[in-house]
Structure formats: C-alpha cells, structure tokens
Amino acid sequence: MRKFLGIVVLAVGVGGLGYWGAKDHALDMQNAISERATAAVAGAVHGVETSVEGRDIRVTGLADSEAEREALLSALNAVEGRRVVLDEIDVLPSADPYTIAATRKDRQTLLQGNVPSEAMRSVLMDTGAAGVEGLTLASGAPERWEAAIGAGLSALTQMDEGSVSLTGKALRLTGLVDQPSDRDALIGSIALPDGYTLQNDIETRDDGAPIAYTVNYDASEGVNVDGKLPNGLDLAQIGEALGVSNISGDVTNAMDGNPSALLAALGRLKDWLPEFDSASVNVSENGTSVAGVTTPGVNVSLVTDALATDFVDTATLDFKAANNSVQRGAERINAATGITEQFQFGSWLPKAEFRPSLANCATEADKLLATTKINFLSGSTDLGPRSQRAINALASIMARCVGAGLAVELGGHTDNTGSGNYE
C-alpha cells in the first residue's frame, strides 16, 4: 500500500512539473511572437499596433494604402510560431489629385488640403501656420512630397502676401514682391525634388524699368507729366515745385529713387516759367535735360546764360526763341502766373482791366513797378533777361492810357554797380 501511494505522489509531482513547464514555454513563445510581430510592422506609415494571445496575432490601425495593408499582413503571416493573423487594419482613403494650399496675409499663413501622416501634421504645426488641425489625412502623396511643400512654404514666408499650392508634383507660387530682382532671387532659392515642376505667378510692385520721366510745361495748358517717377514723388509735389496748379499726367512710381534732385531743379526753373511758352524737363539714365521755347520778345540768349548758372553741371540746356505766329487778339491764362494775357504787337501782354484815367493809369503803373523791375545788363544797353515781361505788362497799361488821350512819360536811372565811367 505504501508503495502504491509513493508511486501516485511521484506521478502527481511529475505531472505538475510538466504543467508548469508547458505554461512557461507557452508564455515564452507568446512573448517571442509578440516581439517578432512588432518588428514586422515597425515600418508602417501610420504606426499600426499588434497584440498576441497565445500564438494568435491581432493587428489594428491604419494602413496608408491597400498595398501597404497587404504588405503588413504578409509580414505578419511570415512570423515564426504564429497560428493566425487577425486583420483589423483600416485603409486610409486616397486623394487624387493630392493637394495642399497655403495663403499668406498680414504675416499669417493658412493651410488647407491634405496631409499624408500625423507626423507631417506635427511638422506643419511647428511652422505656426493656421488650419493645420483641419488638414485631411489622406494617402496618395507623391514621393518626396514633404520636401516639395517645405520648399514652397519657405518661399511663401519671404513674401508679405501670396499663396502656394502643391497639386500632385506641380507647385504654383503667387504673390507680390518689390522688384524683379527680388522675384528672381526668391525663385532661385526654391529647390524642388526631381520630377516636380514650378509655376511662377509672382508679380512685382516695380516693373524693374529704370526711372525715366518728362515734365512738360505749356503756358496755355499747364503741366503734364509722363513716365516713371522716383519713390515718394507725385504730381502735386511737381506742381508745387513749379508753382503751377493745373497739372496732370499718367505716371508710375519706382520702389527706389530720390525726388529731391528733381524738386530742386524744378524750383530753379519756377521763376523762369513766365519767360517760356513751353518747357520740358527730361530725366533718364543718361541724365537731366531742360529744353524750352521762350515767349515772343524774350532774349533767348540771356535766358540761356542765366539758367546755365542755375543748372551748373546738373543738366543740359536747349532753349529756342518762339517762331510760331499767333493770331492778334488771342487770349490765354498764363499757367505760371495765372494772369490773363492777350496777344498784341507780337507779344503776350497782360490784359489790363481798368478804366483809364490819369489817377488810375498812375496807380496801375505804380503797382506793376512795385513788384516788377525793368533792368539793363550791367554796363550794357541790353535789357535783362526778365525785363521783357515787365515791359509787356507796362505796355498793356500804357496802351489803354494812351488810347484814352493821355500822354506817357518814360524815365529811368542807373544804379551804383560798376565804375561809373560810362557815358
């Protein structure tokens, strides 16, 4: 009996040891299969998960495509020791065409469209762009998509406003920069992967053409400006510099340039405009030129000499005397002076509007000579360059007075300039 019980106890002990040994072996196998399964899916785009129960592998998560799903299942089926693979993988919808777009305004970028992975969404979040959370997760992104959109977004941030879109492998960039050179530098900085194309729709505030413009003056019409002006210069400033209120023109402005030189030149020309029927100031890469036609009766040589002193080494001058015939009695309002003029005796004379009498004639003459002088060149019998205008104005007054039967006495005197040895 004792022998029998001993045999039974021995059998139970051996069976227990076998049970615990089998249990440990099963757990070791499960752990080994789990490690092999994890390694098999480690390259999944969206990071699928595996779990092992006994020798059965369960796989869950998101595959980037049907092809990736099949590849993952194939890898799991090849795991040594597995019994079955339980497939619970969802396949990410595909976008075709694969598109993402970004717009930039007020230094803020907004993204819309597709994103290929949550990892890429995190990268885009780090850029500070808005709209990243709303991007649609989708498969179908071309190879090196991340590099292409990265290059596009980098270019976009270099503009104050604009947009970039990536459709398939076609990158389109729109926006606004100052100069063509800025645009060229921006485009040159974009390095796209092989196979990608770039459509450049960037516009410039400045067309890149050199600053060049012409300021035209006409005594009857006023001032007209045409061309490309320096940055900060407008028609009102030109009119103010010339003292002319009637100004028009079709102009553009450069993003650079300094208007101070032109305004200074126009200021020097301002006091001479009444001596001209027409004048022009032309500014280009070749320099500045001033041309004009003096009003009838003005000594063009004296005006040229005087202006040559004002424009020393800053402009080329070309002035001519008027040779056009004007109908007697024609009238105009001189744009430089605002005075109504009438063409009489071969010259433009101010139109005198007063009742001729001894007192009125004296008053009008005194008013004129208080602001306008008739001067001769020093040591010469030649009139000064601005004296013709004074003589014309005085002639207009005297004509009405003589016409009313009054006599005019003209006189003059010398000044203290010179040596006093002239007879």
Side-chain angles (χ1 to χ4, degrees):
M1 183 68 179
R2 290 176 182 173
K3 184 177 180 179
F4 173 77
L5 288 174
I7 293 172
V8 170
V9 170
L10 178 61
V12 171
V14 172
L17 289 173
Y19 170 78
W20 285 110
K23 185 176 180 181
D24 286 346
H25 175 71
L27 185 59
D28 289 344
M29 181 174 288
Q30 177 176 303
N31 290 338
I33 292 172
S34 179
E35 290 178 2
R36 294 170 192 146
T38 299
V41 300
V45 174
H46 303 287
V48 298
E49 295 182 355
T50 59
S51 61
V52 178
E53 297 177 5
R55 291 187 298 152
D56 297 341
I57 302 173
R58 185 182 302 277
V59 57
T60 60
L62 194 62
D64 195 58
S65 63
E66 186 62 40
E68 187 191 37
R69 174 180 171 276
E70 293 296 333
L72 292 172
L73 293 177
S74 177
L76 291 171
N77 280 318
V79 170
E80 182 182 353
R82 63 91 186 160
R83 189 169 68 89
V84 295
V85 175
L86 303 175
D87 174 17
E88 295 181 5
I89 298 177
D90 293 324
V91 177
L92 187 66
S94 178
D96 186 17
Y98 204 86
T99 302
I100 187 171
T103 56
R104 183 170 177 81
K105 188 174 183 180
D106 299 329
R107 300 187 178 278
Q108 176 64 55
T109 300
L110 174 65
L111 287 168
Q112 295 176 304
N114 304 122
V115 65
S117 66
E118 292 300 335
M120 188 60 196
R121 191 192 302 274
S122 296
V123 172
L124 293 175
M125 288 285 288
D126 290 341
T127 67
V132 178
E133 293 180 351
L135 294 176
T136 301
L137 190 64
S139 65
E143 291 185 10
R144 303 202 65 191
W145 179 93
E146 292 84 354
I149 191 58
L153 290 175
S154 177
L156 181 63
T157 57
Q158 297 179 53
M159 297 186 290
D160 292 334
E161 59 182 55
S163 66
V164 62
S165 63
L166 180 59
T167 304
K169 290 188 173 183
L171 185 76
R172 182 187 180 197
L173 190 62
T174 65
L176 185 65
V177 296
D178 288 343
Q179 301 276 1
S181 58
D182 299 328
R183 177 192 58 205
D184 295 343
L186 180 59
I187 295 302
S189 70
I190 301 175
L192 292 178
D194 291 342
Y196 282 78
T197 60
L198 173 62
Q199 180 180 340
N200 165 27
D201 290 329
I202 298 176
E203 297 180 352
T204 61
R205 295 183 177 91
D206 192 321
D207 60 8
I211 295 172
Y213 51 93
T214 302
V215 180
N216 291 305
Y217 165 77
D218 183 274
S220 298
E221 303 295 334
V223 173
N224 180 268
V225 186
D226 178 66
K228 185 175 183 179
L229 302 177
N231 183 39
L233 182 62
D234 58 31
L235 297 181
Q237 290 174 295
I238 293 174
E240 182 178 357
L242 287 173
V244 178
S245 59
N246 185 15
I247 184 168
S248 61
D250 182 16
V251 297
T252 59
N253 279 93
M255 296 300 298
D256 55 8
N258 189 336
S260 59
L262 173 71
L263 294 176
L266 297 181
R268 291 191 291 271
L269 187 60
K270 173 183 177 180
D271 291 338
W272 292 99
L273 279 188
E275 316 302 330
F276 288 92
D277 274 353
S278 63
S280 66
V281 178
N282 182 272
V283 179
S284 70
E285 289 182 303
N286 298 324
T288 302
S289 62
V290 182
V293 176
T294 56
T295 196
V298 171
N299 188 319
V300 66
S301 296
L302 296 179
V303 171
T304 300
D305 291 343
L307 281 170
T309 301
D310 290 344
F311 286 91
V312 173
D313 298 328
T314 61
T316 60
L317 307 180
D318 182 20
F319 301 124
K320 296 179 174 61
N323 58 7
N324 59 317
S325 59
V326 180
Q327 185 177 0
R328 180 183 174 89
E331 292 188 4
R332 71 181 185 188
I333 298 177
N334 190 298
T337 63
I339 296 174
T340 301
E341 298 176 332
Q342 191 174 57
F343 197 77
Q344 299 285 351
F345 312 112
S347 297
W348 286 102
L349 307 182
K351 189 175 181 181
E353 300 284 356
F354 67 94
R355 182 184 295 276
S357 67
L358 183 59
N360 289 343
C361 287
T363 298
E364 293 296 323
D366 290 342
K367 275 198 313 186
L368 172 66
L369 294 175
T371 57
T372 307
K373 302 300 181 183
I374 301 175
N375 293 320
F376 292 84
L377 297 178
S378 181
S380 171
T381 58
D382 293 330
L383 290 169
R386 289 192 175 98
S387 295
Q388 186 63 47
R389 180 160 34 114
I391 289 176
N392 289 346
L394 187 59
S396 178
I397 296 171
M398 296 300 100
R400 291 183 63 83
C401 297
V402 171
L406 298 172
V408 176
E409 180 181 336
L410 297 176
H413 60 85
T414 63
D415 58 19
N416 59 1
T417 304
S419 66
N421 295 326
Y422 297 102
E423 295 183 355

